[in-house]
Amino acid sequence: MRKPAEPRVISMRLLLSLSTVAMLAVTMTAVFGVTERNSRRALQQELETRLLLEARHLALLSSDALLTDFPELTLCPIVTEMLQDRPELAMAVVVDHDGNVQGHPDVRQLGQPIAQLGRFTRYETRVRLNAGEELLLSDHLLAAQVPARHAGGQVVGSVLVAENRGHIDAVLARTRKQVALVAAVLLLFGAALALVAVQRLLAPLATIREGLRRIGDGDLDTPIAFRSRTELGLLASTINTMADQIKRSQKIARAREREVIKTQSEVIHTLGEVVENRSQETGGHIDRVAEGAALLARLAGLPRPQCELLRMAAPMHDVGKIAIGDAILHKPGKLSDEEFATMQTHASIGADILSQSERPIFRAAAVIAGHHHERWDGRGYPNQLAGEDIHIFGRIVSIVDVFDALTSDRCYRPAMPLEKALGIMQEGRGTQFDPELLDLFMAHFGEFARLTEVINRERETPVDCSEVTGKQQPEPETVTV
């Protein structure tokens, strides 16, 4: 029989590992996004603050120079040096109170209004501004405009310091690379930790699963060797307790089953003895048939449970004789055709009686009762079955029953000599008896003889012939029992 394929199992290790890595990746992505947003905000605020400080510093340096006759002589070098020292600055300009350029790295711009000023718009910032200060924004620049005041507080001009907005993106790009590198390292490290954690988590599960498999296969003696104070340890302990309870329950159930089987066997044996005593057969007949049938079944290769079932059921093979009248059952002479037909009904009667039960022993006994008088050639009774249509239990009991009938003392005749009995049995090979089973019987006849001797010695029951004293029944022309 083809073994059914096991269902495809999804690896919990793979699922947990992927889930953990995915969770780590989502977490790192979220952290990276928040970090970049906060970094941009911090860099923006830092840039604005620095621009204001640069502009205020330039305004402080420019306030006195703007009151001189030639302020450009002082302011142009200051602005030029400032741009050289601060390469991140894109523009530094000083204008007077009329809005004309007085300090510029390009001297051609001196005395002119600031050409780029119209491109700027006012920009709302979170940085605290002093009076007159503004942050301005264009497409590419972020600028701080600060008034230049004289010592007395008079506004004498203003300064404009600007920085490329792309500087923030460049700083963020460098930061992003660094954060991405750190995130990748952390992700790999987290994935490795996740794999180790999953392995440690699932190792106990594998142990528990193996323990459950052993329990499912019937091994209740090997406990799950996993002890821990975690929930998994508690689960393993619970499973071990359950296995012990199942073991105790099975022990009780087996004891009860043995008691039931013993009771059934005793009932069958008792009924068999009742029939045996009523038929005035030699004491021990049902025991010899039962043990001989079990021995022949073992020799034929039947499984041990089947041999035991046959041994317990065989004593009921002639239970149907309980319905046969004493005039026929105890008749010392040869039966008439009508009487013999009545006698033959005991096989079907026994099968009908025993088949009322669903118990395996009684079902087997019903088969034996109905089949043990069938013949291999199909000329038996009650159903004229032939060959292997006859149940093997019936074929086995037929051989040992006939042999015991021929070699045992009966009230109407003494036991037949062994050689003659074996000769009659051999004549029935292939006609009355299954040839292979009969060959096994003959090949191991010594075992059957020793078995019969042991049973007879244990029984030592004399035959009561008081009702048929002085009557001698002739030997049968054919073997019928």
Side-chain angles (χ1 to χ4, degrees):
M1 184 176 179
R2 190 175 182 181
K3 184 179 180 180
E6 293 186 0
R8 184 175 296 177
V9 179
I10 301 175
S11 173
M12 286 295 296
R13 183 177 289 104
L14 177 61
L15 285 179
L16 288 175
S17 299
L18 291 177
S19 300
T20 305
V21 171
M23 183 175 64
L24 287 173
V26 170
T27 302
M28 295 302 299
T29 301
V31 170
F32 183 77
V34 172
T35 301
E36 182 173 359
R37 184 182 63 186
N38 293 338
S39 298
R40 178 179 290 277
R41 184 180 300 169
L43 285 172
Q44 182 75 22
Q45 189 170 352
E46 180 185 354
L47 175 60
E48 295 169 3
T49 302
R50 188 175 67 247
L51 280 175
L52 283 170
L53 291 175
E54 295 288 353
R56 288 168 183 171
H57 179 64
L58 182 57
L60 182 63
L61 295 176
S62 303
S63 58
D64 291 336
L66 287 171
L67 296 177
T68 64
D69 292 335
F70 300 101
E72 66 275 8
L73 296 177
T74 302
L75 296 176
C76 285
I78 292 175
V79 170
T80 300
E81 183 179 359
M82 182 178 182
L83 291 176
Q84 289 175 350
D85 294 341
R86 307 287 192 278
E88 68 274 7
L89 296 178
M91 183 174 62
V93 180
V94 180
V95 298
D96 57 21
H97 61 87
D98 293 327
N100 296 320
V101 175
Q102 299 299 325
H104 199 285
D106 186 0
V107 296
R108 293 173 297 178
Q109 302 293 329
L110 296 175
Q112 303 294 327
I114 301 176
Q116 298 96 328
L117 194 59
R119 302 175 185 174
F120 287 94
T121 59
R122 188 173 181 179
Y123 171 67
E124 296 294 334
T125 179
R126 295 182 179 182
V127 178
R128 184 176 180 180
L129 300 176
N130 296 327
E133 294 180 346
E134 290 183 333
L135 283 177
L136 305 175
L137 194 65
S138 71
D139 292 340
H140 303 290
L141 298 176
L142 177 64
Q145 188 172 19
V146 176
R149 299 177 186 276
H150 193 259
Q154 180 184 359
V155 177
V156 294
S158 63
V159 300
L160 185 69
V161 179
E163 185 173 338
N164 286 322
R165 295 172 61 186
H167 175 68
I168 298 177
D169 294 332
V171 173
L172 282 176
R174 291 195 299 271
T175 305
R176 189 181 299 114
K177 289 182 180 179
Q178 295 173 354
V179 173
L181 179 61
V182 173
V185 172
L186 290 177
L187 185 61
L188 290 176
F189 183 69
L193 285 179
L195 290 175
V196 173
V198 168
Q199 180 67 27
R200 290 181 63 86
L201 175 64
L202 293 183
L205 290 179
T207 302
I208 293 174
R209 179 177 179 271
E210 178 63 21
L212 288 173
R213 184 195 63 78
R214 289 197 305 269
I215 292 173
D217 292 341
D219 180 6
L220 301 176
D221 297 320
T222 306
I224 298 176
F226 176 72
R227 291 178 175 83
S228 172
R229 295 185 178 181
T230 64
E231 289 82 354
L232 291 177
L234 181 61
L235 176 61
S237 177
T238 302
I239 293 174
N240 288 335
T241 301
M242 178 191 70
D244 289 338
Q245 292 174 347
I246 293 174
K247 184 178 178 180
R248 287 195 294 269
S249 298
Q250 287 185 347
K251 185 176 181 180
I252 294 172
R254 283 194 293 268
R256 291 175 178 173
E257 182 180 0
R258 287 193 297 269
E259 183 65 24
V260 170
I261 293 175
K262 183 179 179 181
T263 301
Q264 292 175 350
S265 180
E266 289 179 353
V267 169
I268 288 176
H269 193 273
T270 300
L271 288 176
E273 286 192 334
V274 169
V275 174
E276 180 180 272
N277 292 334
R278 184 170 179 271
S279 300
Q280 295 182 339
E281 294 178 349
T282 305
H285 171 69
I286 61 172
D287 291 331
R288 291 190 296 272
V289 171
E291 298 300 334
L295 173 58
L296 185 54
R298 286 194 296 271
L299 295 173
L302 267 65
R304 183 174 179 179
Q306 292 292 303
C307 297
E308 183 63 17
L309 180 63
L310 178 57
R311 184 188 66 78
M312 291 187 293
M316 296 286 281
H317 64 283
D318 276 336
V319 72
K321 287 183 178 180
I322 203 169
I324 305 301
D326 290 345
I328 296 176
L329 194 62
H330 297 159
K331 183 177 180 179
K334 184 178 180 180
L335 299 177
S336 66
D337 292 343
E338 182 179 354
E339 290 171 335
F340 185 65
T342 301
M343 175 64 80
Q344 288 179 323
T345 62
H346 83 275
S348 56
I349 291 173
D352 291 341
I353 293 173
L354 295 169
S355 63
Q356 302 301 313
S357 173
E358 294 295 328
R359 298 295 180 183
I361 296 178
F362 285 93
R363 300 294 290 183
V367 169
I368 294 170
H371 285 215
H372 78 289
H373 281 298
E374 299 287 358
R375 292 170 55 100
W376 184 258
D377 59 9
R379 293 189 295 113
Y381 64 88
N383 297 311
Q384 292 76 51
L385 301 177
E388 294 188 356
D389 288 341
I390 306 170
H391 195 283
I392 191 169
F393 282 5
R395 286 179 270 151
I396 289 174
V397 171
S398 174
I399 292 174
V400 295
D401 183 35
V402 169
F403 174 74
D404 189 72
L406 293 175
T407 57
S408 299
D409 288 330
R410 296 296 171 93
C411 293
Y412 46 82
R413 66 160 174 81
M416 187 179 294
L418 182 61
E419 293 78 7
K420 184 174 182 179
L422 291 177
I424 292 175
M425 296 287 292
Q426 192 63 40
E427 289 175 4
R429 184 183 186 278
T431 55
Q432 183 169 355
F433 307 117
D434 181 331
E436 293 184 4
L437 291 177
L438 184 64
D439 290 344
L440 276 175
F441 177 83
M442 292 297 184
H444 297 84
F445 174 74
E447 297 180 45
F448 290 93
R450 285 191 294 273
L451 182 64
T452 298
E453 181 181 353
V454 170
I455 294 174
N456 288 341
R457 188 165 56 247
E458 291 177 351
R459 298 279 303 196
E460 294 182 352
T461 304
V463 180
D464 182 8
C465 300
S466 58
E467 296 186 14
V468 289
T469 302
K471 298 181 180 179
Q472 181 73 25
Q473 181 176 347
E475 295 178 0
E477 299 177 359
T478 58
V479 183
T480 58
V481 292

